[in-house]
Amino acid sequence: MRMWILMLGIVAFAAAPAFAQRTLTLDDYYKLREVDDPQISPDANWIAYTVKTVDAGEDKHVTHVWMTRFDGAQTVQLTNRPKESESKPRFSPDGRFLSFLSERTDDKHKDQLWLMNRAGGEAQKVSDFKGGITDYVWSPDGKRIALIASDPNPEDAETKKEKSPKPIVVDRFYFMEDVTGYLRHFRDHLYVMDVASRKVDQITSGDFNDALPAWSPDSRSLVFASKRVKDADRSPDWNLFVVAAQKAANPRQLTTFTGEDNAPNRFDTGSYPAWSPDGKWIAYWQGGDPKLIEYATNKLAVIPASGGTPKILTPALDRNIGNVSWSDEGKSLLFSVEDDRTEYLARVPAGGGKVEHIAGGRNVISAYAQKRGRFALLISTSTQPEEVFAWDGKSAPRQISHQNDWLKEVKLAPVQEIAFKSKDGTDVHGFLLKPPNGAGGHLPMVLRIHGGPQSQFADAFSFEWQLLAAHGYAVVAANPRGSTGRGQKYC
């Protein structure tokens, strides 16, 4: 009898699910991992990316660098210092180094550049900018690194000697922005570092910001974005400039459109201008009518690197684009498209023509990197946070990071795409979530509307929506007029 009971117990255990799904709780927020910034190695065999976690004890986020083989066979966490963060992992062109930014050993919390030899050993700090580094990019020959560094605040040293900081003098029209706080006249400028000697040359200067540098294929010149106009705080006139990568060189203005040409942080595209492999063209996004400010829809453009008239490659595409890059052979351009609650990857011939949707469905591809026909895609769905996927350009993308597999133990609310008519008959699109426990009848409802409003709620994971649904609420997340993803007229 005991034997039969034991056997029946084994059969019952084997037939039961591995675990019972539970309801999402607020404490689960501390488990959430934010994956970002995928970068593919020169041999296309490895993908590096960042993972942000919550340190509940310190009440802060910590970001570290991870790396996974393209085939998914091996994953390595490259940095893991407690209470320290790293960002912007980049492979050197020969694949020997993996570089990143970090404020390690800096009591002023300023990011510096670090090099990690992939053969082994501890990372080395190779810069010492008192104002810190905000961006950088390797030259194609691997001998130099272009840096965007901030002017130092001369009062930092004086503040240490005083009991309280000095008053902030406001004398700019644009005097404050989210996250940064009060703005003064400390600017971001372009520098070039020699990797072997660590010697640094300052390339640009002046009372304006420079951003988004990109090297020419011959490693001699740089293109960057800057707003070099009179009373820049009152103007949207960002343009591209080309400059020789040498000390005190004179930048040459490349674009002259009076609106935004590849302005940083617009719609969080993170889109750098991109040189064609032969060095003859530079691709970028051009903004719309300046009178429409942030509501204007941008376009993909190319311009001769020597100067001239730009050519719009997506004149009929009534959607914002970003993340521009050239195919390896230079015959086409790749870019992301924001389209009705999704973001997908598209391609267009370098000379113009039909825009081809090449990757993405009812999801969001928020970032990508490509090398030798292989892609690293950062994909999120309505029920899965962003993870890294490997894609060969042919078969379906394959997930290779699994930072949020803990969500398998949680019963999430299904997310339904919805559309309804406004009072004049215009379609309004959004999402509906209902409690995952199947509660019916009349439900309390939360109407969630995004800010901006020049952005969109998309088919991406939202912890907030899921938490509200788990507590018995229906959630309606709407994209009202002013939202992007539906074209210029709707925006």
Side-chain angles (χ1 to χ4, degrees), residues 20 38 82 87 92 126 159 191 252 300 316 324 350 370 393 449 483:
S87 64
S92 61
V126 296
T159 301
Y191 297 76
R252 168 174 55 88
L300 175 62
V324 178
Q370 57 101 12
I449 304 175
S483 300

Side-chain angles (χ1 to χ4, degrees), residues 146 210 295 302 380 382 445:
D210 303 318
Y295 295 96
V302 293
S380 176
S382 57
M445 188 191 79

Side-chain angles (χ1 to χ4, degrees), residues 174-193:
Y174 183 54
F175 66 92
M176 179 183 254
E177 68 181 9
D178 290 345
V179 181
T180 306
Y182 286 101
L183 301 177
R184 297 197 262 176
H185 292 276
F186 312 130
R187 298 294 192 172
D188 294 341
H189 293 303
L190 180 62
Y191 297 76
V192 169
M193 171 188 289

Side-chain angles (χ1 to χ4, degrees), residues 348-365:
V348 69
K354 182 180 179 181
V355 174
E356 181 185 2
H357 181 149
I358 62 172
R362 301 312 299 176
N363 55 20
V364 171
I365 300 177

Side-chain angles (χ1 to χ4, degrees), residues 69-90:
R69 282 188 60 87
F70 187 86
D71 60 13
Q74 184 181 2
T75 294
V76 181
Q77 183 173 354
L78 297 178
T79 63
N80 194 26
R81 288 191 181 188
K83 302 180 183 180
E84 294 180 349
S85 291
E86 300 81 26
S87 64
K88 290 189 176 291
R90 300 292 184 266

